Amino acid sequence: QQQQHRYEQIWDPNRATSDCTKFINALDMEDKEAALSLLHKRNYQITGIGQAMAKITSSPMYDWCNVQLRVKFHSAIMLQRKNMREVSRITGKPLGSCLWYYYHAYKRSR
């Protein structure tokens, strides 16, 4: 029998939407407890969860939850031919965050 983590004890699958479940399943193990606890406190409302997670975790992933920011990033990549310093300037995000997003999310989705 597996030991239940604390966050699994408060998680209510009957109240969680499929979007909540997809979000949780996509997370790294170290972010799951914080995300599950946060969703529970927010009454399982997924809207704005990325921005809320960005405030409580050090992962740069949550900085990129905003759709308009991702569209701006894509346009900047195409316009600046992958000049990340210019992409950083256009998006208003730190260079390290732009590089992280490019290699960990953007490039993988193409």
Side-chain angles (χ1 to χ4, degrees), residues 47-65:
T47 306
I49 193 71
Q51 291 81 2
M53 284 294 293
K55 293 177 183 174
I56 63 170
T57 184
S58 61
S59 175
M61 170 179 122
Y62 305 105
D63 288 342
W64 296 95
C65 289

Side-chain angles (χ1 to χ4, degrees), residues 14-86:
N14 297 322
R15 292 174 55 202
T17 64
S18 63
D19 287 340
C20 287
T21 304
K22 286 177 192 173
F23 176 74
I24 294 300
N25 289 337
L27 295 176
D28 292 331
M29 195 64 178
E30 63 267 8
D31 291 338
K32 280 190 179 185
E33 182 170 0
L36 287 165
S37 181
L38 186 60
L39 277 167
H40 184 73
K41 287 177 190 172
R42 294 168 50 100
N43 201 25
Y44 298 85
Q45 295 298 312
I46 194 76
T47 306
I49 193 71
Q51 291 81 2
M53 284 294 293
K55 293 177 183 174
I56 63 170
T57 184
S58 61
S59 175
M61 170 179 122
Y62 305 105
D63 288 342
W64 296 95
C65 289
N66 182 307
V67 174
Q68 291 87 4
L69 178 60
R70 292 193 312 261
V71 169
K72 188 186 277 190
F73 181 88
H74 175 74
S75 297
I77 284 286
M78 295 298 132
L79 184 66
Q80 298 300 323
R81 299 180 184 219
K82 300 180 185 175
N83 178 338
M84 286 300 182
R85 291 197 192 286
E86 282 302 304

